[in-house]
Amino acid sequence: MGNLPARFGRLWNDKGAWRMMVGLRVLRGGLTAALVMFALPVAAVATASLVSSQAVAQTAASIGVEGNRRIEADTIRSYFKPGPGGRLDSARIDDGLKALIETGLFQDVKINQAGGRLVVVVVENPVIGRVAFEGNKKVKDEQLQAEVQSKARGTLSRAMVQSDTARITEIYRRNGRYDVKVEPKIIDQPNNRVDLVFEVTEGAKTGVKSIEFLGNKAFSAYRLRDVIKTRETNFLSFLGSNDTYDPDRIEADRDILRRFYLKNGYADVQIVAALTEYDPERKGFLVTFKIEEGQQYRVGSVEFQSSIATLDGNSFRSLSRVGVGSVYNAEAVEKSVEEMSIEASRRGYAFATVKPRGDRNFEAHTVSIVFAIDEGPRVYIERINVRGNTRTRDYVIRREFDISEGDAYNRALVDRAERRLKNLDYFKTVKIVPEPGSSSDRVVLNVDLEEKSTGDFSVSGGYSTADGFLGEVSVSERNLLGRGLFAKAAVQYGQRTQGYQLSFVEPYLLGYRVALGLDFYQRKQLASTYVSYDSKSMGFSPRLGFQLREDLNLQLRYSISQQEITLPSYLTNCNNFGGPAGAGFYPTPAYLTQAGALQPDGSYTIGAFNSTTNNCFLDGEASAAVKQALSKGAVTTSAIGYTLQYNTLDNNKDPTSGILAVLNQDFAGVGGDVSYLKTVGDVKLYTPVVSDIVGVLRLQGGVLTDTGKGIRMLDHFQMGPNLVRGFAPQGLGPRDISTISYNGYGDALGGTKYWGASVELQMPFWFLPKEIGLKGAVYADAGSVFGYQGATSIVPNASCNGGAVANAQNQCINLVGDDGLVRSSVGVGLIWQSPFGPLRFDYAVPLTKGQYDRTQQFRFGGGTSF
């Protein structure tokens, strides 16, 4: 069909009435539609004024209607509102005609006079048969269908078509495509029906070519680019979308920058403007943030004042997160207000409000903080409306509130609920807006949400120098069935590791803020150059999680697992005793048949040795400790334990400040075959040293205590690069060197105690774009593992390896490295927060080490998901 322009005309008909006609076949651009919309009211006024003079005293019921097919005549008459006495004057006929035109239901409207009565002749707008999109590749049809107002089986409206065109254009612009062109086309069909087709020319992606900052002195542009969400376009931008120009995101970045400065003591900061300019040569936007930093403030004093006679303000001092002399932190002040508001409510002061006041000393650059506790207005929550949740159940959202309908209104608790909803990661946007209720002491909370996908399917791959290549396929859902449940199934397969894991979490057990987790796993670890045996294990662990504070979490758990190791025949041929001669069997040695051969301490005692029995170790046998674990078969461990975690990191993925402290303690012996108490602590401190350079201090340690059944070698701490970089996995600490002939080092035995300390400086590569995510590191590590308790291989003195100690029976105890020697190293690293996942490369040189320690100067590890 040819392209017919929109036309508008006023024609004089044979009855002396003005007639207006509007024909629309193909709508192109906004100019034609604007002319139509402008001309219709003008024609309507002219028509009504001429006709109404001859139709005064008509009644609405006497109006004739012609040309209507779908719309009832009475519906059309209803737009003409009679005056006193039920009569229509010229003004009311004029209003009725305007109202008919504004409905958008008619393509042509005219008013005639026939036989002394008023006749309204209409040509109805066509019905839309279908709404289609052509040329759209980056945005799916479903998303566009949800945005446009024109719907199939609805009436075609010119204004609505133009509005839909603008909506589609805006969607593409928010996806970074500012060159988009959208052209609506209307295709005639029989029976007054049309098809509406939006032809989309998407154009190239419009990215952010540069992000600059003016007025920043305390923080470099490199550091500030890491704070905001918008990113500069680079060669890896195809893997993300934050480099596309989005005015809403840039406006949100202004607030992020302001909060960042307030958190770091700059109480007078102003983000004056966020300027954007399109550069046609670079075909992208240039973004500039203008900042007025002001001075950094410290806390001069902290006071608590209460106007409530029965409430002592100083009793809230322990809830304050700000201290005298510390850098002023607006975020810490906000959290202090929340904690105090909750505590006041618990004490029965539901309407108490806590308002912080900061008095600046501009000369000393200090802020005196006063927390004022007052009796607030008695305002109650009348209703909480949850809107926009099409999948998530209402109760999943409401349980994040510490207040409910009928409770006293508390803004601090509302802000906390909003933050919790955002942290769920179920929604794209979360906004809680209060509005007045049915009376002055009532307020209605509107919770506006926009849901997002919460399911993940990932195929991951990685490589490490310890485990080789490893692949994983996992399926997870963070909001299962819209009930806020978490479930995950993962399968791993690699060179030396295979297994699977199933996890389930109910975050609110029986309606309480207690998380119930269930984990089941099965894993197989194959022998390598670091470990002589294969290991198979499976286990199940239920756990309960409690959030004591926003920065303090407690987990209680029970675990039951079973582990069994196997050895290849060439490492266990001493067990091939008692078989027929000539069939590869050895005569059974006396020390394996006599009582007391395996001593209570786990060591093997040796009787009369001959050349045959010497083969037990001299031909490359596994150590006594490994054989002891092998002899026990499948061993069951039943344990209870807890984890206490304190976390104040500013960013869990790439921290620059804060503390992460974890304490784990497990008691094995609640049934099962083993019994011990294992305590492990790990503390990491991150702090900015100078501009863009972050210092990391790590302290760790552990103690394993025998509680009655002895400690297996497999339960000992096996340490390597996880303690001191530059050493191989299980490369440092106590070792049995009787097996040195089969791998050059012997079996690592581990220890019951260890400690470690590490200092690291992480710095960016200033000559590279921030978005690439590369950082360098220099570090120094020190640590030790010692206190082995378990079986030890003992051989004749003549068979001693270097470093072994002879006992009174002229036998060698082949245990070395259990002297508490401090191992240390220095090194450099390359850290890449890549779009494929975190990757790290380390090159470390040991400074102090034991004679039989195993070193590994280069180490690489990382993975990806896609």
Side-chain angles (χ1 to χ4, degrees):
M1 155 181 173
N3 293 337
L4 299 179
R7 64 182 186 274
F8 172 80
R10 294 183 299 172
L11 302 178
W12 186 264
N13 67 14
D14 57 347
K15 303 215 176 190
W18 283 98
R19 179 187 180 196
M20 62 161 203
M21 297 183 64
V22 179
L24 181 63
R25 292 298 178 265
V26 179
L27 188 62
R28 286 183 178 272
L31 180 59
T32 303
L35 290 173
V36 172
M37 295 174 67
F38 174 77
L40 284 176
V42 176
V45 173
T47 302
S49 60
L50 291 174
V51 173
S52 61
S53 62
Q54 306 174 42
V56 176
Q58 292 277 335
T59 64
S62 66
I63 296 175
V65 178
E66 297 178 1
N68 58 311
R69 301 175 63 182
R70 301 186 313 277
I71 303 172
E72 296 290 338
D74 286 342
T75 301
I76 295 175
R77 293 189 187 102
S78 69
Y79 285 90
F80 294 89
K81 309 295 183 182
R87 298 293 182 177
L88 292 170
D89 57 19
S90 59
R92 295 186 181 278
I93 294 174
D94 185 33
D95 292 340
L97 182 58
K98 289 179 181 178
L100 275 178
I101 294 171
E102 289 173 357
T103 64
L105 298 174
F106 305 104
Q107 187 177 25
D108 185 12
V109 179
K110 64 179 180 179
I111 298 179
N112 295 331
Q113 185 182 10
R117 65 192 293 251
L118 205 64
V119 178
V120 179
V121 181
V122 298
V123 177
E124 294 177 346
N125 270 331
V127 174
I128 301 174
R130 69 185 182 96
V131 179
F133 307 91
E134 295 180 357
N136 56 307
K137 298 178 181 178
K138 302 300 182 181
V139 182
K140 296 181 179 180
D141 284 3
E142 292 79 8
Q143 183 178 351
L144 296 178
Q145 287 281 10
E147 291 292 334
V148 298
Q149 300 299 310
S150 299
K151 303 294 183 182
R153 295 182 297 279
T155 302
L156 180 70
S157 168
R158 305 167 188 82
M160 191 177 294
V161 170
Q162 288 305 112
S163 176
D164 290 340
T165 301
R167 279 192 181 91
I168 296 172
T169 301
E170 185 64 19
I171 290 172
Y172 273 93
R173 287 184 172 178
R174 292 191 181 281
N175 281 273
R177 298 183 181 275
Y178 271 72
D179 292 334
V180 65
K181 295 181 180 179
V182 181
E183 186 176 5
K185 288 191 175 182
I186 299 173
I187 303 173
D188 284 334
Q189 301 292 346
N191 301 320
N192 198 32
R193 301 177 71 86
V194 296
D195 289 343
L196 177 59
V197 179
F198 293 95
E199 290 187 353
V200 181
T201 304
E202 294 182 324
K205 181 179 178 182
T206 309
V208 175
K209 297 300 181 180
S210 74
I211 302 174
E212 301 297 337
F213 301 88
L214 298 178
N216 57 305
K217 298 177 182 178
F219 302 98
S220 69
Y222 191 95
R223 178 71 179 94
L224 296 179
R225 289 190 190 101
D226 192 41
V227 173
I228 62 177
K229 293 183 178 180
T230 304
R231 295 287 181 259
E232 292 181 349
T233 301
N234 59 73
F235 69 95
L236 294 174
S237 294
F238 69 94
L239 296 169
S241 60
N242 283 354
D243 69 308
T244 57
Y245 175 71
D246 185 340
D248 288 344
R249 186 193 298 134
I250 290 176
E251 190 62 29
D253 285 338
R254 289 184 64 184
D255 185 61
I256 292 173
L257 282 173
R258 185 184 67 85
R259 295 183 68 86
F260 172 75
Y261 271 95
L262 289 174
K263 183 179 178 181
N264 287 277
Y266 293 87
D268 299 325
V269 66
Q270 292 186 29
I271 311 301
V272 179
L275 307 176
T276 59
E277 178 185 1
Y278 182 77
D279 187 341
E281 293 184 0
R282 302 175 67 178
K283 296 183 178 180
F285 282 89
L286 312 180
V287 180
T288 303
F289 292 95
K290 295 183 67 176
I291 303 172
E292 292 181 2
E293 291 181 336
Q295 297 294 324
Q296 186 183 52
Y297 289 82
R298 291 187 174 272
V299 178
S301 63
V302 181
E303 296 181 7
F304 302 84
Q305 297 177 357
S306 174
S307 63
I308 304 174
T310 55
L311 187 62
D312 181 12
N314 286 317
S315 65
F316 291 86
R317 187 172 296 275
S318 62
L319 299 175
S320 173
R321 299 194 181 188
V322 293
V324 176
S326 63
V327 173
Y328 172 74
N329 186 335
E331 184 177 292
V333 172
E334 290 176 2
K335 291 183 177 179
S336 299
V337 169
E338 287 182 7
E339 297 291 342
M340 295 177 191
S341 299
I342 294 172
E343 180 61 23
S345 180
R346 287 173 180 166
R347 296 184 188 182
Y349 300 89
F351 297 99
T353 61
V354 182
K355 296 181 180 179
R357 185 177 71 246
D359 298 325
R360 297 178 179 85
N361 184 325
F362 297 101
E363 295 180 356
H365 299 147
T366 60
V367 178
S368 298
I369 300 175
V370 177
F371 291 100
I373 306 170
D374 302 308
E375 184 72 27
R378 292 183 173 271
V379 178
Y380 297 88
I381 298 174
E382 179 177 345
R383 192 170 62 256
I384 299 177
N385 298 324
V386 180
R387 304 183 297 204
N389 57 316
T390 57
R391 181 168 175 266
T392 305
R393 308 293 178 94
D394 261 25
Y395 72 84
V396 173
I397 298 163
R398 293 178 183 273
R399 69 190 183 188
E400 298 300 326
F401 286 80
D402 291 323
I403 48 179
S404 58
E405 293 166 343
D407 289 347
Y409 174 73
N410 189 308
R411 184 65 213 181
L413 299 184
V414 173
D415 291 341
R416 167 178 279 194
E418 183 171 332
R419 186 167 61 252
R420 285 174 174 171
L421 288 172
K422 290 178 180 179
N423 291 338
L424 289 177
D425 201 24
Y426 301 163
F427 312 103
K428 288 182 181 178
T429 58
V430 177
K431 193 171 185 181
I432 302 178
V433 181
E435 66 178 30
S438 58
S439 60
S440 59
D441 64 344
R442 296 290 187 269
V443 65
V444 175
L445 297 180
N446 294 319
V447 185
D448 294 315
L449 310 165
E450 182 182 356
E451 293 189 310
K452 67 178 182 180
S453 174
T454 55
D456 293 306
F457 172 79
S458 67
V459 180
S460 306
Y463 175 82
S464 74
T465 46
D467 298 322
F469 290 99
L470 177 67
E472 178 179 288
V473 178
S474 67
V475 179
S476 65
E477 172 58 62
R478 300 190 302 277
N479 188 15
L480 185 64
L481 303 176
R483 299 175 182 271
L485 307 174
F486 173 84
K488 180 179 180 180
V491 177
Q492 302 92 19
Y493 190 87
Q495 281 180 283
R496 304 184 188 110
T497 303
Q498 295 110 38
Y500 64 88
Q501 181 178 356
L502 303 174
S503 297
F504 173 82
V505 177
E506 163 57 85
Y508 279 79
L509 181 62
L510 301 176
Y512 295 97
R513 198 178 292 276
V514 177
L516 169 66
L518 302 173
D519 299 300
F520 178 80
Y521 68 90
Q522 188 166 5
R523 188 178 302 114
K524 182 178 182 180
Q525 188 81 29
L526 302 180
S528 66
T529 57
Y530 309 110
V531 179
S532 62
Y533 48 86
D534 295 345
S535 174
K536 292 191 300 182
S537 59
M538 63 184 299
F540 171 71
S541 177
R543 49 193 165 85
L544 295 175
F546 305 84
Q547 187 174 32
L548 307 180
R549 297 190 326 197
E550 288 201 354
D551 56 2
L552 188 63
N553 295 283
L554 173 66
Q555 181 190 99
L556 306 178
R557 61 181 170 272
Y558 169 75
S559 62
I560 182 168
S561 61
Q562 189 176 79
Q563 183 181 23
E564 183 178 10
I565 68 170
T566 57
L567 282 167
S569 60
Y570 63 85
L571 295 181
T572 59
N573 55 19
C574 266
N575 292 331
N576 295 332
F577 296 135
F585 291 89
Y586 298 97
T588 302
Y591 73 88
L592 287 181
T593 59
Q594 296 173 356
L598 184 61
Q599 299 299 315
D601 64 358
S603 64
Y604 283 104
T605 58
I606 306 298
F609 270 79
N610 54 45
S611 59
T612 301
T613 58
N614 288 346
N615 287 334
C616 287
F617 297 115
L618 297 184
D619 67 348
E621 284 290 311
S623 65
V626 174
K627 285 189 174 183
Q628 183 189 46
L630 178 68
S631 68
K632 292 182 180 294
V635 175
T636 300
T637 301
S638 177
I640 57 173
Y642 70 89
T643 296
L644 188 63
Q645 177 178 286
Y646 175 71
N647 186 347
T648 63
L649 298 181
D650 60 340
N651 186 318
N652 287 330
K653 291 184 177 180
D654 189 17
T656 59
S657 65
I659 297 174
L660 176 62
V662 181
L663 174 65
N664 290 288
Q665 198 163 45
D666 291 277
F667 171 70
V670 188
D673 302 320
V674 297
S675 177
Y676 59 76
L677 177 65
K678 181 179 287 188
T679 305
V680 174
D682 192 350
V683 179
K684 296 178 183 177
L685 169 65
Y686 294 82
T687 183
V689 179
V690 293
S691 179
D692 301 328
I693 298 180
V694 177
V696 184
L697 173 65
R698 181 181 184 184
L699 302 174
Q700 56 178 316
V703 177
L704 181 65
T705 305
D706 182 8
T707 57
K709 294 184 181 180
I711 303 176
R712 301 182 305 158
M713 178 272 295
L714 297 176
D715 295 323
H716 283 62
F717 296 114
Q718 304 283 351
M719 310 305 290
N722 54 336
L723 187 67
V724 181
R725 284 164 285 195
F727 289 82
Q730 302 187 14
L732 58 89
R735 186 174 298 276
D736 190 325
I737 60 172
S738 63
T739 59
I740 194 171
S741 58
Y742 85 86
N743 68 1
Y745 296 93
D747 281 328
L749 302 178
T752 59
K753 302 178 183 66
Y754 79 91
W755 65 270
S758 175
V759 178
E760 180 171 297
L761 293 178
Q762 298 178 356
M763 63 208 72
F765 295 106
W766 291 275
F767 55 87
L768 293 176
K770 175 72 175 180
E771 291 70 25
I772 294 179
L774 276 175
K775 293 192 298 184
V778 294
Y779 53 81
D781 296 342
S784 180
V785 56
F786 52 94
Y788 172 72
Q789 298 178 20
T792 305
S793 302
I794 304 175
V795 299
N797 197 21
S799 303
C800 279
N801 290 308
V805 180
N807 62 12
Q809 288 76 35
N810 200 31
Q811 299 165 345
C812 278
I813 302 174
N814 283 304
L815 172 65
V816 297
D818 195 11
D819 51 7
L821 175 69
V822 176
R823 278 76 169 179
S824 62
S825 69
V826 294
V828 296
L830 182 65
I831 306 168
W832 186 20
Q833 296 292 339
S834 77
F836 310 103
L839 301 174
R840 177 155 183 151
F841 305 82
D842 281 299
Y843 182 82
V845 178
L847 300 180
T848 57
K849 64 184 184 71
Q851 180 181 358
Y852 290 95
D853 287 347
R854 300 189 64 177
T855 61
Q856 185 185 73
Q857 293 182 335
F858 176 75
R859 190 166 186 264
F860 160 71
T864 181
S865 63
F866 47 89

